[in-house]
Every structure is written in structure tokens, then in C-alpha cells.
Amino acid sequence: MDLFSSLSLGFSVALDPFNVLYCFLGVLLGTLVGVLPGIGPTATIAMLLPITFSLNAETALIMLAGIYYGAQYGGSTTAILINLPGESSSAVTAIDGYQMARKGRAGAALATAAIGSFFAGSVATFILAAFAPPLARAALNFGAPEYFSLIVLGLLVSIALAHGSILKALAMIVLGLLLGMVGQDIYTGTPRFTFGVREMFGGLNFVAVAVGVFGIAEILRNLENETEREVGVKKVTNLFLTREDIRRIIGPILRGTGLGSILGILPGGGHILSSFASYSAEKRLSKHPEEFGKGAIEGVAGPESANNAAAQTSFIPLMTLGIPAHPVMALMIGAFILQGITPGPNVINEQPALFWGIIASMWIGNLLLVILNLPLVGLWVKMLSIPYRVLFPAIVLFACIGTFSINQNIYDIYAIAFFGLVGYLLIRFGCEPAPLLLGFVLGPLLEEHLRRAMIISRGDPMIFIERPISATLLGLAVAAVLIAVLPSIRRKRKEVFVEDD
Amino acid sequence: MAAQGLRKGADDAAPPWPWRGFVLVLGTILFFAATVRGLGFLPTVTIATFAVAMSSTRNSVLSSLVIAIGLCVLCYLIFVVGLGMIIPLVGPWLQFGGA
């Protein structure tokens, strides 16, 4: 099938009124959680996973994908209007966006963010459509050793890209791998780390871990010191850009889209990295670098385009290899599995309607987002005045009921409480919980492929080096770690993340 | 969110431990797990929401009650009516003599 007939199949799925409705619901919810600080797309998707169980596969995944890229949009609204990133990747937008809002140019900043996001989203979706099929074909030649090496590469790259201490990130991954081992051994059936509790033989529930570590832990952290949010800009007027503005944002949008598309494919929060990278690139290229931090429109256009492009291209490793680039994609894997589909290179051939439907829905979703965000921005500003004290009990209860409804297992709810505490302590001690979840999801895959490869080679570990693709991937993994620990790059990393603070 | 967390960590070395949040939020989740089968959906959700809402120092008893009742209705509509979740609304512990 060529690209166009595939895409027309995708649009026929995505334009089904029922799917359009759920796509709309998805981007609406995504915008909502993006706008509201204190609840992110990871926790939302984790809570909604059980609900999507009753929908069919296309509809469920279209909606969940919508939540994810919708949150990227919504986060920028909060960043611009109240200088609080609603979502981590819009932290950069807050720097110049809020300054523009203070100068009375909130409308222009929001419009720039929306235009940049829409353009970047559309282009990146096209990249996804064009590159996914050949990659999936290549991936079909992968055997167990190649998959093992690929997962090792993914995990190590995510360490290299993580903020802060490399040692802590490594520890989080290893902890995640260990948690992923709970349950029965896949080949012998021996129970591991179950402490004799029968309910734990099937392993820890993924949703419970995700909700605890991201949802509940975040609530506990917000209860540390409660402050009410202040909405600085009550009314947004004049969404139109001047000709001068348009001239200034074209370059940043194009560069942001390119940077974001490439970085999005990398594992470990490429969308956050890409917005920082785009911001520093624009600052370096600008003729007036002194304007940055004081309301430069380029500082909104570039990073917003970059994080949206990255949000779309981060679907590439998921759809072609079945390997998640970051926690939200890990949840999407969970969604595939709940629907009885094994994510990976076979999806494109076995479920073409699903595969192309999701891609086509991204265009529709991006269009819906522009409609939702620009004319209705007043509504979102109002949403910001919902006090957190009303919001968080709802989050806790939805988390409990949602997790319970998956398989009516009481132990899953105990697990939420346990992982909420663990997650809070990790944040408290400066460890990022994202690599933990990545390790938890990839752990069982890693183990399965390792053992399968060992069976193929009759216990000879040289198999990983003798096969060329596998050896190349392992080589890249080693290079990623070396680069991360080299002193010159470390300084650079520090520079990039200084603007984070 | 992560950026915000980092910023907070840098400014003031040790924000107070949210003991009240620990006890009430985590306790409520355990309470929910322990009673949802026995007490049933409606009572458990109401009591649990009330307890969680109380963990914020900004909620008074009255506002927590309002939140609890509102959320109970909302959860009923979403999960039971909307999604057809099968769960006893009022559990066996509260039913007497073959009610």
C-alpha cells in the first residue's frame, strides 16, 4: 500500500463521527489537564486507561493520543497567562510568554503558540506517516538479540538525557527493572518477589504504579505548601499578529519543528529537551539576544513548535518497534495491551485501520485544538480559577475507582498508596520517577528477549556482538553513556538545564 | 512540573513534611481498598472524599462535605451510569435481613 491509499484508509477511520467525538473528548481533556497545574497527562492517561477498556481499540487509542498532544497545547496557555508551566515541556514558554502577557500581548503570545504548535504538529505527523512504515519493515527483521540491544540502547539513552545526576537516573531504572520482575517467571513459573501474596503472582499492576508515582505523589507534594494561584491576565484580547510578528516567527517555527522532530524520537523526555534546545538555538541565532527573557516572540514560537513536533514523533518508536520513548508512551503500550494488541512492527500490517487511523486522527486533533484554544481561551482562563482544594480529592477518588475497575483487585489499590509514598519520597530526594516507570515497562520485555536470545545461542552471550545490527545498537548505547559522562558535555548539559531553574 | 519541583528544592532547603496529607490521603486510599466491597460504592466514595478533602488546610468541614457529596454524585454518573461499572451501590455490610 502506498502512502496515499494508506492515509485515505486512516482518514476513513478517523473521520468516523464516533471517533471524531472521542478525538475531541481527548484533546479537550488534554487541554484541561494541560491548563491545570498539578495534574499532568501521565496521571490522566493512567486514570483513563481502565475507562477506555470498554471502547474499541481505534477509538480508545485515538482518545488517549489526543490527551497527550492536547496537554502540550494546554500547558502553554497556563505558562503564558500565569507564569506556571501547566506541563513540564512548556516551562520554557513561560520565560518569554509571560513577559509578553505582562506587556499586554497575551493574545499575540497565545496565537503564536497555537500557530507554531499546529504547524509543527502537522509536519511531524507527516514525518511519522512517512517514516513509520519503512522502519516497521526493518524492525520485522529484528530477532531477540536485536530487540534486547535496542531496549538496552533505549534505557541508556534515557539516562543520558535525564536531568541531574546520572547515577540517580541509573538507580531509578534499575529499581524499575526490579519492580518489573515481580510475579511469576515467564519460563519456569517460579514466583519472584511476591512475599507469598497470591494476588502479586501476576505482577504489579502497571496503572497502579503509574497513578501512584505520578498522580498521588504529585498531590502529596502540592500539599507541602498550599498557595492559591493568581491569574494575572483576566481578559485576553487581540489574538491577531502583526505582519512584523509573522515575519519574526516563521524562522523559529521551522527550526523548532525540525529540532523537535528529531529529538522527539529519542527516549527519555525528548519533548522537554527539544523545547530547551530550541530556545537556546533561537537565542543564539537572534539579532537581538538581549530581548530574550523580556518578551521575545521568537522565544515562544520556537519552543512551542519544538515540543509539539516532538510529541508527535515520539509515537514513532512506539508504533514501529513497540518501545516507549517516555512514560506517556509506556502508558500507550499499556493501552495497546489492554486491547489485546501487541505493539510493535506487526501492528501496521495486522491492524492497518488502527495504525493509520491514529495517524490521521492526529491531524484532526491538531485542527480541533486550534479551534478549541483560540476562540475559547477565555473559558480556559476561567478554569484556572478552580481551586486546587476541590480538584485533588477528585483526582484521588478517580484514581482509586479507575484502578479498581480494571480487574476488581483490592491489592491494586493498596499498591497505589504504596507507590504514592515511594513516588513522593523519590521526588523529595531529587530522583526523577520517569526512568523508574520506563524501567518497569521495559523490564519484562528486556528479560524476555534476553532469555530468548540465550536459548537461541545456547547460552553464549557472544550472540549480541556477532550479529551486526545488535552490535551496532550496543555500540551506540555505550557511546551514549560515554558522551553523557564526558566532562565537556556535562558542562553543556548543565548550561542547558540551568534555564530550567 | 519537574522544573517547578527543582526550583522549589533550590529556594528553601526543606519544606515541611505534609504529615496531614500523608495520613489522610494514603489512609483514605487504604480505607477505600478495605471497604469498597463491604460498604458499597456510594458510602465509601463519600467518606473517602470527605477525608481526602480534609487533608488540605484550606478546606473547612463544611466545604469538605459539599465536595464529598458533589463528587459522589459525579462518580456515580461517570462510572456507574456512564461506563456501566458493576459494583454494589450499598454493600452487604449495610443491608439487614434480606433488604
Side-chain angles (χ1 to χ4, degrees), chain A residues 143-440:
Chain A
E146 281 81 15
Y147 265 109
F148 172 78
S149 307
L150 190 66
I151 297 168
V152 171
L153 172 66
L155 288 175
L156 291 180
V157 171
S158 77
I159 293 175
L161 293 180
H163 300 206
S165 156
I166 290 173
L167 199 65
K168 278 180 179 166
L170 185 64
M172 285 303 96
I173 296 240
V174 173
L175 185 61
L177 290 174
L178 275 175
L179 290 172
M181 290 180 59
V182 172
Q184 280 183 317
D185 182 292
I186 42 172
Y187 288 108
T188 63
T190 318
R192 299 180 297 197
F193 306 116
T194 57
F195 305 103
V197 178
R198 196 171 45 83
E199 277 82 356
M200 281 170 73
F201 275 33
L204 291 165
N205 185 314
F206 174 69
V207 176
V209 176
V211 166
V213 169
F214 286 96
I216 304 296
E218 190 63 36
I219 287 174
L220 289 174
R221 207 180 60 75
N222 282 319
L223 287 174
E224 273 173 4
N225 39 13
E226 297 177 63
T227 42
E228 291 292 326
R229 296 185 292 270
E230 275 176 41
V231 182
V233 185
K234 290 255 161 34
K235 266 227 162 75
V236 180
T237 48
N238 200 5
L239 288 168
F240 292 100
L241 297 172
T242 62
R243 189 161 300 180
E244 166 72 8
D245 288 335
I246 294 172
R247 198 180 53 75
R248 284 176 64 177
I249 63 173
I250 288 176
I253 287 180
L254 289 175
R255 281 189 291 271
T257 306
L259 260 176
S261 302
I262 297 166
L263 289 173
I265 305 173
L266 297 177
H271 59 305
I272 301 171
L273 189 74
S274 67
S275 51
F276 281 108
S278 163
Y279 188 78
S280 44
E282 290 312 324
K283 199 170 173 180
R284 214 161 293 153
L285 285 171
S286 169
K287 288 189 198 102
H288 319 279
E290 72 281 355
E291 273 183 34
F292 278 79
K294 297 190 188 107
I297 197 164
E298 291 93 338
V300 176
E304 272 304 302
S305 313
N307 79 38
N308 272 277
Q312 311 289 353
T313 54
S314 61
F315 279 88
I316 292 179
L318 172 82
M319 306 269 258
T320 58
L321 305 165
I323 288 179
H326 53 87
V328 177
M329 290 300 126
L331 287 162
M332 295 292 286
I333 288 211
F336 273 101
I337 293 170
L338 267 183
Q339 297 286 350
I341 301 165
T342 315
N346 284 320
V347 173
I348 191 169
N349 295 321
E350 287 165 11
Q351 308 263 355
L354 171 75
F355 184 89
W356 293 105
I358 295 176
I359 291 181
S361 82
M362 288 177 184
W363 269 305
I364 296 171
N366 270 299
L367 195 64
L368 288 172
L369 276 170
V370 173
I371 300 169
L372 261 179
N373 275 272
L374 287 183
L376 296 182
V377 73
L379 185 73
W380 302 117
V381 177
K382 279 222 179 61
M383 291 306 282
L384 283 172
S385 54
I386 296 181
Y388 191 66
R389 63 196 166 89
V390 179
L391 217 57
F392 81 87
I395 301 174
V396 175
L397 263 290
F398 283 175
C400 289
I401 301 171
T403 310
F404 180 68
S405 69
I406 307 176
N407 37 15
Q408 311 267 320
N409 186 345
I410 297 283
Y411 274 83
D412 290 346
I413 306 180
Y414 289 129
I416 297 181
F418 176 73
F419 283 102
L421 185 64
V422 169
Y424 175 75
L425 292 176
L426 290 178
I427 298 175
R428 187 80 194 204
F429 296 123
C431 298
E432 265 192 279
L436 184 147
L437 201 63
L438 215 53
F440 177 68

Side-chain angles (χ1 to χ4, degrees), chain A residues 51 84-86 88 218 220 223-224 226 228 389 392 394 397-398 400-401 404 408 410 413-414 417 424 428 500, chain B residues 1 3-4 6 15-18 21-22 26 29-30 32-33 37 49 52 55-59 71 75 83 87:
Chain A
I51 295 176
L84 243 187
S88 48
E218 190 63 36
L220 289 174
L223 287 174
E224 273 173 4
E226 297 177 63
E228 291 292 326
R389 63 196 166 89
F392 81 87
L397 263 290
F398 283 175
C400 289
I401 301 171
F404 180 68
Q408 311 267 320
I410 297 283
I413 306 180
Y414 289 129
Y424 175 75
R428 187 80 194 204
D500 204 4
Chain B
M1 232 33 62
Q4 216 185 313
L6 289 176
W17 288 83
F22 269 0
L26 300 180
I29 298 174
L30 299 181
F32 183 91
R37 287 248 167 88
T49 314
V52 176
S55 68
S56 165
T57 46
R58 289 172 179 270
N59 274 336
L71 198 64
C75 285
L83 295 163
I87 190 162

